[in-house]
Amino acid sequence: MPKTKKDQKQNGEEEEEVKSKDYTPAREFVDLLAGAAFPFIIQLVFSATVMVFANAMDAVAVVIIALVIGEGLLIGAYVLFGMRSGSVAYSRFVQGQKIRDEDPLMNAGFKKVGEYKIYKGFLIGFISIVPCIIFHIFYLAIPNSFCEFLMQYVFSWEFAPSIIYVSCGGITIAELPPYVNALSMLVAIYPIILHGTMYYVGMKREYKKQEIVRIADEARAKEFEEMERERQERAERMRAEAAKNKKKK
């Protein structure tokens, strides 16, 4: 029984719903949060570990060295996470593009969650530092022991210039000049720039890998077509020779 226009329309709507349900703004936001979660956790782990070690030694040189090493490790983590995020995002973009290319008319608006967009690398880096910025601003506006503890032991990667100033000056965190405290916030810029840059680098690396795979697939397809063409030509020659021998008989 042939399908009516109503059935065809209904089937088309169901198919479109299945194709587009992979992407929603909420899922996209959750994906961005997931990308920022790992760098944020690394911030907490490195900050706490470095400051506990530095305070145990109770020496200015050790504090400075510990903070510098901690910053170096955090930079390395952002490099790795940024490259991985960019690579995964570009893979998702390629998958989504294949679906869009299958039927440009029906799938023109199809999106996969987490597809590569250059701004997402910087946005993930920004999301990862939002808690630190919030508590630092609150600490600048209303100095209190809770935020002081967080900045010293939880977000010491960002508060490092203030901690070094305090250690070298022989003063307490509470005696820290406000302008030094405020300038420490500039350190929070580098995770955004670093993650965004490495996100792009990861995309370029994945692009090269995808290109190598594509070229290899095209070469295999071309080789198969050539073999098939030669097989057909041999078959044609054999049929022609068989027909010719048949006429002679």
Side-chain angles (χ1 to χ4, degrees):
M1 182 178 178
K3 293 183 179 180
T4 64
K5 290 184 177 180
K6 183 178 180 180
D7 293 334
Q8 292 175 351
K9 183 179 179 181
Q10 184 177 359
N11 291 338
E13 290 175 352
E14 290 175 355
E15 183 179 352
E16 183 66 22
E17 183 181 356
V18 170
K19 289 176 179 176
S20 60
K21 73 177 183 179
D22 183 71
Y23 177 90
T24 64
R27 290 179 180 176
E28 185 69 26
F29 182 66
V30 170
D31 185 72
L32 291 173
L33 289 179
F38 290 108
F40 175 70
I41 292 171
I42 292 298
Q43 290 177 22
L44 305 185
V45 173
F46 282 177
S47 294
T49 303
V50 167
M51 286 310 300
V52 168
F53 174 78
N55 286 343
M57 296 301 174
D58 196 25
V60 175
V62 174
V63 171
I64 294 174
I65 292 173
L67 287 171
V68 170
I69 292 175
E71 293 291 341
L73 292 174
L74 187 60
I75 288 172
Y78 267 91
V79 168
L80 294 176
F81 283 126
M83 291 182 66
R84 182 183 179 279
S85 295
S87 177
V88 171
Y90 186 74
S91 296
R92 292 175 180 174
F93 169 78
V94 171
Q95 294 169 9
Q97 191 61 41
K98 287 180 180 178
I99 294 174
R100 288 187 287 269
D101 290 342
E102 287 175 0
D103 191 339
L105 184 61
M106 292 292 294
N107 300 338
F110 177 82
K111 293 181 181 179
K112 284 186 70 67
V113 173
E115 284 193 27
Y116 177 84
K117 296 289 183 183
I118 183 64
Y119 72 87
K120 290 182 181 179
F122 298 97
L123 183 57
I124 291 172
F126 173 74
I127 292 173
S128 72
I129 68 166
V130 165
C132 175
I133 295 299
I134 290 174
F135 281 110
H136 200 157
I137 291 175
F138 190 67
Y139 180 54
L140 286 171
I142 308 173
N144 58 88
S145 58
F146 176 70
C147 288
E148 180 181 318
F149 173 81
L150 290 179
M151 298 312 302
Q152 190 172 2
Y153 289 96
V154 180
F155 302 117
S156 62
W157 66 270
E158 185 258 31
F159 206 55
S162 295
I163 295 173
I164 293 174
Y165 185 93
V166 167
S167 299
C168 294
I171 60 177
T172 64
I173 295 291
E175 299 171 328
L176 185 69
Y179 73 90
V180 177
N181 194 344
L183 287 175
S184 292
M185 292 184 67
L186 294 176
V187 177
I189 296 174
Y190 85 78
I192 303 174
I193 298 173
L194 187 60
H195 192 280
T197 303
M198 300 317 298
Y199 184 84
Y200 174 78
V201 172
M203 179 277 292
K204 295 298 290 185
R205 289 185 63 179
E206 183 63 24
Y207 170 78
K208 291 180 180 179
K209 288 169 60 177
Q210 295 280 354
E211 279 295 292
I212 292 173
V213 172
R214 184 185 63 80
I215 292 171
D217 288 343
E218 288 180 354
R220 283 194 294 268
K222 187 176 181 180
E223 183 180 357
F224 177 79
E225 289 176 0
E226 186 67 22
M227 292 173 61
E228 184 66 17
R229 186 179 62 80
E230 291 178 356
R231 187 188 67 80
Q232 292 178 357
E233 288 178 354
R234 286 197 300 270
E236 287 292 334
R237 286 196 299 268
M238 291 176 65
R239 282 195 293 269
E241 290 176 0
K244 186 177 180 180
N245 292 335
K246 188 175 181 181
K247 286 182 181 180
K248 287 181 178 180
K249 291 180 180 179

